[in-house]
Amino acid sequence: MPEVAPLTLADVPTIDLTDEPFRTNPAAAFDAVRQKTWIIQTVRGYEVLDYDIAQQMCVDPRFDSIGPDYYRNLGASEQVMWYATQASLPMIGGERHDRIRRALQRGFTRRRIDSLRPQMRSVATRLIDALADRDPFDLVADFSTIYPLEVLCALMGVPAQDIDRFGAWTIDLGLLARFPLEPHMVRIDAAITGLREYFRELVARRHRQPGEDFVSTLIAAQKETGRLTEDELHGALLNLLFAGQDTTRYQFGWVVQLLLQHEEWERLDAAPDRVPCAIEEAMRLEPTLHILLRKVVTDVEYCGLVLPAGTLMAVNTYAANRDPAAFPDPHRFDVMRANAHRHLGFGHGGHLCLGHGLARTEMAEALTLFVERLPGLQLAGEPGGVTGFSSMTGAECIPLVNRQQRQDRPIEAPSCPRR
């Protein structure tokens, strides 16, 4: 526990996350702060750094979804506010959240996810085959931007000829995680508008011609789970793209980077059964999503600190996942860590990410093929990260080379574009 626990919100220290320590070495910076307090105040709200407290808050019924105020406070447009009230499940609370979640759960059964494994392997194999002619190549542009999108489109029954349109929209949709929002509003609005119109047509088509896809399942599930409005149905599909594309795109990049940086790639090739453990440990150490937003519903006390109803809270998954009280030697990348799966990268409790099984399976299938097909993989330059302040982090460019193919040719790393 920290040295001193704040007794009132006025005692909670204010931290500027743009200060140099948090930009250059956030792990050490959060360690230093956590030794003094379990809670800090930032532009994102009151952030929880302690793992045990963070986990408790995720299941405490006195906390609920943050609601649309987060985006309203950022000066969001009408389209973004539609997203916040109709699509973003983490921002929808109470019975309405539960009704939408019950319907969505029907589309994420273990059986359905496993049925997508051949499609995952087929897409990954095709993309890896194409990398043979690109040495070096960019993991993000040449693989991890395309792979999860094609899997999601297969899940939803989106025709192959429409995937390119989806690609641009989903990338721009990911800008919802940026702070401030205003510079990206035009691109976000265009993406939401395009996706709403597309899903309106897709849902109408599935009403006429039901199939075995996610959209058809969602339509049929409403007979048992409760009816969704048209906006809720379109919003659920749009949120599936936001939650399932950029997060997996960034997270798979972190998995590959960490394995290469810590010289675990060849060892994983020798022991492929460690692939799931490696993914969990990468998610613990470098989660793509750094905060889980919550709001206090009724006055609640934690560690002697009263949090009044209406207080905006942010569970800091990055800091909590590196809490030494929960994960000994927390900054070490250990693919054999027994409790790595207890990370908060997918959330916890009633707001656990619905697509966690899909994301884990996607990454496991892809990583298994990468290690098998590219055993000599190594970094060919510095990864290029997200520019600006964002609640979602990851590289926009990861130059790689397979040294077993290179045969001493000079390496010219691909240039990393700014997003």
Side-chain angles (χ1 to χ4, degrees), residues 21-60:
F22 290 94
R23 287 188 292 103
T24 59
N25 191 351
F30 280 121
D31 271 355
V33 174
R34 194 193 303 103
Q35 291 175 11
K36 299 176 181 178
T37 178
W38 61 272
I39 184 172
I40 59 175
Q41 184 176 15
T42 74
V43 292
R44 303 185 293 203
Y46 291 95
E47 299 198 18
V48 179
L49 312 181
D50 179 282
Y51 176 87
D52 286 340
I53 297 175
Q55 192 180 51
Q56 281 180 267
M57 283 189 177
C58 287
V59 297
D60 192 329

Side-chain angles (χ1 to χ4, degrees), residues 187-378:
R187 290 172 62 186
I188 296 170
D189 281 356
I192 293 175
T193 300
L195 286 166
R196 288 179 68 182
E197 182 58 35
Y198 185 90
F199 285 135
R200 187 175 293 112
E201 297 171 4
L202 180 62
V203 169
R205 193 157 62 243
R206 288 295 176 265
H207 272 295
R208 296 191 303 269
Q209 299 175 316
E212 299 296 323
D213 55 89
F214 185 92
V215 178
S216 300
T217 299
L218 194 57
I219 292 170
Q222 297 176 62
K223 296 175 183 177
E224 299 177 25
T225 62
R227 181 180 175 276
L228 302 184
T229 67
E230 185 178 87
D231 276 340
E232 287 171 344
L233 184 55
H234 300 160
L237 297 174
L238 194 145
N239 190 55
L240 174 60
L241 282 179
F242 176 66
Q245 163 66 2
D246 255 12
T247 50
T248 304
R249 178 170 79 103
Y250 285 136
Q251 195 63 67
F252 187 70
W254 278 122
V255 172
V256 172
Q257 282 183 80
L258 288 167
L259 285 167
L260 294 174
Q261 289 167 351
H262 294 271
E263 300 181 350
E264 291 284 351
W265 192 262
E266 291 183 358
R267 281 194 281 268
L268 202 63
D269 181 35
D273 58 310
R274 295 182 185 177
V275 161
C277 300
I279 291 169
E280 298 299 333
E281 177 66 348
M283 286 202 67
R284 181 196 68 82
L285 202 64
E286 293 289 353
T288 288
L289 193 62
H290 275 201
I291 56 169
L292 307 172
L293 299 171
R294 313 288 282 152
K295 183 166 67 176
V296 180
V297 176
T298 183
D299 291 2
V300 58
E301 182 178 323
Y302 269 77
C303 302
L305 173 64
V306 175
L307 302 172
T311 304
L312 302 184
M313 306 294 298
V315 170
N316 188 316
T317 58
Y318 178 87
N321 284 349
R322 290 172 178 254
D323 185 345
F327 303 100
D329 197 5
H331 306 308
R332 182 167 64 91
F333 181 65
D334 179 7
V335 297
M336 297 303 292
R337 189 181 296 273
N339 69 341
H341 64 284
R342 296 189 63 196
H343 64 78
L344 300 177
F346 286 119
H348 185 64
H351 286 269
L352 177 71
C353 174
L354 276 168
H356 72 91
L358 177 65
R360 284 178 159 120
T361 305
E362 278 182 276
M363 289 191 285
E365 291 290 348
L367 184 58
T368 298
L369 284 170
F370 257 86
V371 170
E372 176 186 318
R373 298 283 304 282
L374 304 173
L377 203 64
Q378 65 181 18

Side-chain angles (χ1 to χ4, degrees), residues 12 103 113 126-127 152 164 269 272 289 304 321 343 346 358-359 385 387 404 418:
V12 175
I113 292 170
R126 188 189 81 238
L127 294 174
L152 284 172
D164 286 344
D269 181 35
L289 193 62
N321 284 349
H343 64 78
F346 286 119
L358 177 65
T387 57
Q404 291 188 358
R418 293 173 65 86

